[in-house]
Amino acid sequence: AQSVTQLGSHVSVSEGALVLLRCNYSSSVPPYLFWYVQYPNQGLQLLLKYTSAATLVKGINGFEAEFKKSETSFHLTKPSAHMSDAAEYFCAVSDFNTDKLIFGTGTRLQVFP
Amino acid sequence: EADIYQTPRYLVIGTGKKITLECSQTMGHDKMYWYQQDPGMELHLIHYSYGVNSTEKGDLSSESTVSRIRTEHFPLTLESARPSHTSQYLCASSDDGYGYTFGSGTRLTVV
């Protein structure tokens, strides 16, 4: 069965610093992988998705993620954090048997001035 | 502009009341989902539907019920609200494995 693990429930960075949010997946078949962002009192918004095409995926708001099969990872990065990036971020994998998304437990990103 | 709508956004209600949380989507998606999200952030799937007249319980047991009479509409009902039902409820729809589109959520408080 597919699963995802997000390392670090809280990440803090200074404005302008690199953002790195970690996600490792477990899947017996090539997975579809997703990153979502949730701002306070909002639903989840799709940042980017990997569906077996290019391994480096670019998303909205300057975020990108790289699919690394050898490391079973799909880490989310942004070169320079903005205050507006403060939010919760969820990694997810698609279960091919059920078409359901399996979410990680989330990482709260704080950005300090 | 949102393609999936949840109403109300916020609801404060007394114990024992019956409530219905509305969710509608305009994308023609067959698959729809309800998640419960507590302050610790983790998302718990409580109901899903793969089409009209098809509903299933999710991974987290819930006292709520759902119906799917029309493709675009997937309401969630609590017959008798309790303080333990206080949470955020998120509705989503999908088009076969390419990710979900989420509504803005309903934050429910039962007093």
Side-chain angles (χ1 to χ4, degrees):
Chain A
Q2 287 90 348
S3 66
V4 290
T5 301
Q6 291 185 243
L7 299 175
S9 58
H10 290 81
V11 171
S12 297
V13 300
S14 299
E15 193 172 20
L18 171 72
V19 175
L20 170 61
L21 304 183
R22 299 179 186 274
C23 174
N24 288 90
Y25 69 90
S26 171
S27 176
S28 58
V29 297
Y32 287 178
L33 294 160
F34 307 83
W35 275 100
Y36 284 85
V37 61
Q38 185 180 31
Y39 298 104
N41 298 315
Q42 294 291 324
L44 276 67
Q45 179 183 2
L46 182 66
L47 270 179
L48 50 81
K49 60 186 176 185
Y50 168 76
T51 56
S52 312
T55 56
L56 182 62
V57 182
K58 294 188 183 298
I60 62 172
N61 301 338
F63 284 94
E64 62 182 36
E66 186 171 8
F67 173 72
K68 291 187 176 180
K69 185 177 179 180
S70 60
E71 298 177 8
T72 61
S73 69
F74 191 57
H75 301 331
L76 182 70
T77 61
K78 182 174 180 178
S80 177
H82 293 172
M83 296 295 290
S84 60
D85 294 327
E88 282 84 41
Y89 292 81
F90 292 89
C91 182
V93 63
S94 181
D95 185 320
F96 286 117
N97 292 323
T98 64
D99 279 341
K100 287 191 278 185
L101 282 188
I102 299 164
F103 287 91
T105 52
T107 298
R108 178 163 294 170
L109 175 66
Q110 289 183 301
V111 182
F112 294 100
Chain B
E1 188 173 336
D3 296 314
I4 182 164
Y5 305 92
Q6 289 188 246
T7 56
R9 287 294 310 279
Y10 302 93
L11 179 62
V12 180
I13 201 162
T15 297
K17 299 291 186 183
K18 177 181 178 179
I19 58 170
T20 297
L21 308 184
E22 301 288 348
C23 177
S24 295
Q25 50 100 1
T26 59
M27 297 169 284
H29 290 169
D30 285 328
K31 297 174 182 176
M32 297 189 73
Y33 310 84
W34 275 104
Y35 285 85
Q36 183 174 337
Q37 184 181 33
D38 292 325
M41 293 193 298
E42 193 166 353
L43 294 154
H44 300 285
L45 180 67
I46 53 175
H47 298 283
Y48 61 99
S49 168
Y50 286 169
V52 171
N53 294 326
S54 157
T55 61
E56 301 286 345
K57 290 190 177 295
D59 305 320
L60 180 69
S61 176
S62 173
E63 294 168 346
S64 59
T65 58
V66 292
S67 62
R68 191 87 182 277
I69 299 173
R70 303 197 315 267
T71 297
E72 63 271 21
H73 195 213
F74 191 41
L76 180 146
T77 298
L78 276 166
E79 290 292 334
S80 180
R82 295 208 303 262
S84 61
H85 297 138
T86 294
S87 189
Q88 172 151 261
Y89 293 84
L90 294 169
C91 181
S93 68
S94 76
D95 56 352
D96 294 328
Y98 287 92
Y100 293 0
T101 301
F102 280 85
S104 298
T106 294
R107 185 166 294 280
L108 172 66
T109 302
V110 183
V111 297

